[in-house]
Amino acid sequence: MATQNQDRLRTHFSSLPVSSHAEGWDALWKEGTFIPWDRGCANPALVDLLASPQAPPTSSDPNPTPGAPRRDTTPHVELPSPLRSEGKRLKALVPGCGKGYDVALFASWGYDAYGLEVSEHAALAARKYLGGEDAGAETEDNKTKDDKIGRGVMEVVVGDYFDDGWSSETGVSSVGEFDVIYDNTFLCALPPDLRPRWAERTASLLAPNGILICLEFPTHKPVASAGPPWSLPPTVHQELLKQPGKDISYDDKGAVVATDRPESAQALVRVAHWVPKRTHPVGVVNGIVRDCVSVWKHKMA
């Protein structure tokens, strides 16, 4: 069932047209008294993946979410090296970055990390965090991991994910130059009508050999509870990324329907899928981790 915070968040947006959602998020960040999606740190599942990509720790409990991977799944992720031989750093993008915890984490591994926020007040909060001691070597998760690789830049830009204007501030064009994209509570914050655009935009921003990392949450929330956050079981990503930009099918209750439709040439294919051993408490129900992590690459990569 939906939590009280989720119900309150849904109510906040229920009277706003989609065109005003940016202002709705900014109003919450400006007030600063109700930002329940802010967990105070990066998701432990991402921390574990970056620390051990070839064998990220998995949950030993079966996840009852439809489409969730089996508990005996052994993930193996080929993360792109953050530093090329000629010294150029790879770029990581975190849309809907909030206070920037994930930006700091990627930078600690050597990536040039960029957070994107539609809210000016969220960006201000992120810049304050990233400019302070908490984002540096004072915390275990965010300290520089390899002195030879060093630390990447940490920047936050303001803009609409679906527009091109913000990309120049990250030093890239609007097409195919982000080596890592991390989606954590971004897709689930978008109204379902925007999901096909999210898939198309994400595929276009991802470098030819880049990877998309998705923290699938909330997988257990009833579809009828609406959002944000909207229910996001693994089937949503599976269907969206088969044919980025194309509509997906829903049943009469509003749940995404799994289909056997073929992958398009623009598809992102799932190369790893697992239930993490650790995640934020909100993703644990009755002692069982319900979140999933999926990793995607271009079909031809």
Side-chain angles (χ1 to χ4, degrees):
M1 62 187 302
T3 66
Q4 289 183 342
N5 281 340
Q6 290 172 350
D7 284 339
R8 181 177 171 184
L9 193 61
R10 173 182 52 79
T11 300
H12 174 78
F13 284 94
S14 62
S15 61
L16 296 176
V18 173
S19 60
S20 296
H21 276 204
E23 290 85 349
W25 290 111
D26 194 51
L28 292 174
W29 277 106
K30 181 179 180 179
E31 182 180 348
T33 59
F34 180 67
I35 48 175
W37 58 87
D38 180 13
R39 314 294 178 196
C41 60
N43 193 298
L46 179 63
V47 173
D48 291 344
L49 169 59
L50 293 177
S52 182
Q54 295 186 345
T58 60
S59 172
S60 60
D61 297 315
N63 186 334
T65 302
R70 302 192 311 268
R71 60 179 169 179
D72 59 351
T73 299
T74 303
H76 178 99
V77 180
E78 295 290 341
L79 289 177
S81 174
L83 192 63
R84 293 195 176 103
S85 58
E86 71 274 19
K88 182 179 179 180
R89 293 191 184 277
L90 271 62
K91 295 179 182 291
L93 175 67
V94 184
C97 69
K99 286 188 178 178
Y101 308 122
D102 305 316
V103 175
L105 181 61
F106 277 111
S108 76
W109 283 94
Y111 296 94
D112 279 347
Y114 298 89
L116 175 65
E117 262 299 339
V118 74
S119 163
E120 182 70 49
H121 288 90
L124 290 172
R127 290 166 185 156
K128 181 178 179 181
Y129 170 77
L130 294 173
E133 290 184 348
D134 287 345
E138 300 301 315
T139 64
E140 184 64 27
D141 288 344
N142 295 338
K143 70 180 183 180
T144 302
K145 302 303 189 297
D146 188 327
D147 290 334
K148 293 182 179 180
I149 294 177
R151 192 178 190 88
V153 303
M154 301 182 295
E155 294 187 13
V156 176
V157 297
V158 178
D160 186 329
Y161 187 62
F162 302 108
D163 294 336
D164 291 339
W166 56 269
S167 62
S168 62
E169 297 183 52
T170 67
V172 306
S173 72
S174 60
V175 179
E177 294 187 23
F178 284 105
D179 304 283
V180 179
I181 299 176
Y182 175 54
D183 189 296
N184 175 28
T185 68
F186 180 65
L187 175 58
C188 72
L190 298 176
D193 286 349
L194 290 180
R195 288 172 172 175
R197 288 186 64 194
W198 169 87
E200 183 176 37
R201 179 64 165 165
T202 300
S204 72
L205 289 171
L206 190 65
N209 292 309
I211 64 168
L212 166 66
I213 304 170
C214 296
L215 196 295
E216 297 171 349
F217 165 89
T219 67
H220 59 282
K221 184 181 179 184
V223 172
S225 296
W230 300 85
S231 177
L232 205 67
T235 310
V236 178
H237 290 88
Q238 281 185 296
E239 290 300 309
L240 284 173
L241 295 174
K242 286 179 182 177
Q243 297 181 11
K246 302 296 185 181
D247 288 335
I248 56 178
S249 300
Y250 296 85
D251 64 20
D252 57 0
K253 296 181 180 179
V256 174
V257 176
T259 70
D260 58 359
R261 64 179 182 168
E263 297 170 345
S264 69
Q266 293 74 38
L268 297 183
V269 296
R270 193 170 64 191
V271 295
H273 195 209
W274 70 96
V275 179
K277 183 175 183 179
R278 301 194 301 155
T279 190
H280 287 313
V282 71
V284 181
V285 180
N286 296 325
I288 296 176
V289 174
R290 298 293 294 271
D291 290 349
C292 302
V293 182
S294 55
V295 177
W296 307 78
K297 299 186 71 173
H298 284 288
K299 183 177 181 179
M300 303 306 293

